[in-house]
Amino acid sequence: RIKKYFPVYIVKAEDADGYCAMCRSPLDQVCNQCYEQKITDSSECKVVEGVCGHKFHAHCIKKWTQKSPYCPHMNCPSRWEIK
C-alpha cells in the first residue's frame, strides 16, 4: 500500500543547441508564455543562466522553481541559483 507518492519530472535539456529545455523554444526567441501574451520582441523575454551553467527563459524557470528548488536539467544535482 502506497502512503505517499512524490513524482519527479526530469527535463532533457537542449540548451547546448540554444533551446530552452523547459518550453523547447529557441533561447533567442520568446518563451511560450510571452508568445501567448502576444510579445514578439525577444529582448522582452529574459534568459537566465544558473550557477550550474544551464540556461532557461526566466518565465519557464520561475514556474519550475515554484515546484522544485533544483535545476531541471537532466542529471544536474545543483540547486537552482541565478549566476
Side-chain angles (χ1 to χ4, degrees):
R1 185 168 152 186
I2 299 173
K3 293 184 179 191
K4 289 187 178 183
Y5 178 68
F6 299 99
V8 176
Y9 179 74
I10 298 175
V11 177
K12 181 182 176 193
E14 297 180 16
D15 62 318
D17 297 325
Y19 288 85
C20 175
M22 301 300 295
C23 71
R24 307 281 192 234
S25 295
L27 290 170
D28 62 351
Q29 294 180 13
V30 298
C31 67
N32 292 340
Q33 182 176 333
C34 288
Y35 182 79
E36 289 173 3
Q37 295 175 358
K38 309 249 189 285
I39 297 171
T40 57
D41 185 357
S42 61
S43 66
E44 294 182 38
C45 185
K46 187 177 176 184
V47 173
V48 293
E49 181 176 358
V51 293
C52 56
H54 300 121
K55 296 178 185 177
F56 304 94
H57 290 114
H59 292 128
C60 298
I61 194 68
K62 181 179 179 183
K63 190 180 284 188
W64 171 264
T65 57
Q66 292 171 353
K67 298 175 187 174
S68 173
Y70 296 96
C71 175
H73 188 286
M74 188 166 59
N75 299 325
C76 182
S78 301
R79 291 182 72 85
W80 177 258
E81 294 178 44
I82 295 178
K83 192 173 193 176

